[in-house]
Amino acid sequence: PENTLFAIEKSLELGVDAVEIDVQLTYDNVLVLYHPADLSDKTDGNGAVSSHRWEYIKTLDAAYHFKSARTYPYRGKGLKIPTLQEVLEAFPATTFIVDLKMLPPEPLVYALIDTLSDDDCRRLIFYSTQKEHLELLREYKPSWDLFETRDATRMRLLELNQSHESYVPYTSSWMGFELVRKMTVMES
């Protein structure tokens, strides 16, 4: 089950270089790992993470809907939604790609800035499909590692395609390439 301590542990056992995690903010400003918009997608709860306090979130079964071969092998096994702090403490030598998941971006970004030290961020790389998250982080924490925006990466791919070159200059160290993305290019 994704975004659990168990899943991170299993990923590290496979020898990965970094682990991607998804971060949202609870109603009472606790940074937690969870991907979908609604808790009912993965847990035995419901509603947005941001509409609940940590006291409720920490009671949920993070593996409730995880299915394998028609069974729910981890349901009721104690897998919970962890906080970002728990994850950083449990895996102190691990590099994490932190995917920022909730809108509006300000509460989440401000909570990251208030919670994380620059030392914590030496092993964190921030990503979001929403450029607003990255723009705010770049404004307030320019020393933190950030992916370039999806739009910038798509433009790079388009420029490579149109120029027939094998290289396009870039300013970011981190880019997220989607495995499959249908694009329509229209000239104006």
Side-chain angles (χ1 to χ4, degrees):
E2 68 180 40
N3 287 303
T4 61
L5 295 174
F6 177 75
I8 295 168
E9 190 176 295
K10 291 299 178 191
S11 297
L12 294 172
E13 286 175 9
L14 293 172
V16 300
D17 295 320
V19 177
E20 188 264 348
I21 56 177
D22 303 295
V23 174
Q24 295 192 47
L25 191 63
T26 65
Y27 181 79
D28 50 348
N29 294 320
V30 177
L31 294 161
V32 298
L33 274 60
Y34 192 73
H35 180 116
D38 197 288
L39 289 163
S40 65
D41 289 346
K42 302 281 182 189
T43 76
D44 53 342
N46 58 54
V49 168
S50 62
S51 67
H52 296 287
R53 296 184 183 281
W54 170 238
E55 287 301 313
Y56 171 73
I57 300 288
K58 72 181 182 181
T59 67
L60 301 177
D61 184 341
Y64 191 78
H65 290 291
F66 183 86
K67 196 172 187 179
S68 176
R70 296 186 183 168
T71 67
Y72 299 92
Y74 300 110
R75 185 183 280 181
K77 303 286 188 199
L79 298 181
K80 301 294 181 184
I81 295 174
T83 68
L84 180 57
Q85 282 306 124
E86 286 176 310
V87 168
L88 295 178
E89 289 170 14
F91 305 100
T94 301
T95 298
F96 289 99
I97 297 170
V98 181
D99 191 348
L100 309 178
K101 284 296 179 192
M102 65 178 274
L103 291 173
E106 291 83 1
L108 180 58
V109 169
Y110 297 151
L112 288 166
I113 291 168
D114 290 343
T115 304
L116 299 173
S117 69
D118 286 339
D119 193 48
D120 287 330
C121 291
R122 284 186 174 78
R123 60 193 179 101
L124 304 179
I125 308 158
F126 296 92
Y127 173 79
S128 178
T129 58
Q130 306 295 321
K131 68 180 181 180
E132 296 84 1
H133 289 115
L134 299 172
E135 289 171 347
L136 273 174
L137 276 177
R138 189 168 285 112
E139 179 181 342
Y140 291 107
K141 289 294 187 177
S143 64
W144 290 6
D145 281 336
L146 309 176
F147 274 73
E148 70 181 3
T149 65
R150 285 173 94 179
D151 290 344
T153 301
R154 288 177 181 150
M155 282 305 297
R156 172 184 330 289
L157 293 172
L158 181 60
E159 288 172 16
L160 280 168
N161 180 275
Q162 296 300 306
S163 69
H164 305 289
E165 298 292 327
S166 60
Y167 171 81
V168 173
Y170 57 90
T171 57
S172 179
S173 297
W174 299 97
M175 299 160 229
F177 292 97
E178 298 168 19
L179 294 177
V180 177
R181 171 59 69 172
K182 184 176 180 178
M183 292 176 57
T184 303
V185 179
M186 296 171 47
E187 190 171 355
S188 60

